[in-house]
Amino acid sequence: MLLFIAPNAFSQQADDLLGVWFNQEKSAKIQIFKVGEKYDGKVIWLKEPMRDGEPKLDRENEDEDLRSRPIIGLEILKDFEFDDDEWEDGTIYDPKNGETYSCYITKEGDKLNVRGYVGIALIGRTSIWTKAE
């Protein structure tokens, strides 16, 4: 009987990442959603959505063709997979500097620990996101 219950409980835990989250500064809301078996996230709200009377754009992107993309609607989390108690092997894009980082996410209560890094996870930065719903 336990063999039939355990996979369901495991799936529910994996989907705990789903929903809308405030970034650490509470200047943006990110909606995390599932694509197949992976998790992605996009910006759905900005505290200050405008710059110089126009919607904020992805101006720092190293690809000039992408600099005209609005920040609202921009996918910043990509390809996370759930393994045991964390979401790993994904990337996070920071529109403030135009850089993409390796990333993993852990959850504690209504908070996410979002760790972006280059190379190894020890050399990185953790941002605490809180549930917005």
Side-chain angles (χ1 to χ4, degrees):
M1 181 72 169
L2 192 56
L3 292 175
F4 296 107
I5 296 172
N8 261 352
F10 187 74
S11 294
Q12 290 176 332
Q13 186 180 16
D15 287 349
D16 284 351
L17 188 64
L18 299 175
V20 178
W21 302 86
F22 277 111
N23 67 345
Q24 185 163 314
E25 301 81 13
K26 296 207 179 344
S27 60
K29 288 182 185 176
I30 297 87
Q31 179 180 25
I32 299 178
F33 51 94
K34 198 168 184 180
V35 179
E37 292 300 312
K38 296 187 178 188
Y39 299 86
D40 294 351
K42 67 181 176 181
V43 177
I44 61 167
W45 174 87
L46 291 172
K47 187 175 184 178
E48 296 178 13
M50 308 293 275
R51 179 183 290 134
D52 302 325
E54 300 286 330
K56 283 187 178 175
L57 302 177
D58 188 16
R59 296 184 348 184
E60 301 302 320
N61 197 302
E62 65 182 33
D63 183 340
E64 289 184 30
D65 293 338
L66 299 179
R67 291 181 184 167
S68 61
R69 298 186 301 178
I71 299 295
I72 294 180
L74 188 65
E75 279 195 38
I76 63 167
L77 298 175
K78 290 189 179 186
D79 298 328
F80 286 84
E81 297 178 6
F82 186 73
D83 185 23
D84 291 330
D85 61 350
E86 70 181 23
W87 295 265
E88 59 186 24
D89 298 329
T91 60
I92 186 167
Y93 174 73
D94 185 350
K96 291 179 184 174
N97 65 15
E99 298 290 330
T100 299
Y101 302 95
S102 297
C103 186
Y104 70 88
I105 301 169
T106 58
K107 185 172 185 292
E108 295 179 25
D110 65 348
K111 297 184 187 314
L112 297 180
N113 299 308
V114 181
R115 181 138 184 104
Y117 59 93
V118 176
I120 60 172
L122 291 174
I123 304 172
R125 182 176 66 108
T126 300
S127 180
I128 309 297
W129 294 8
T130 54
K131 195 77 166 165
E133 301 179 308

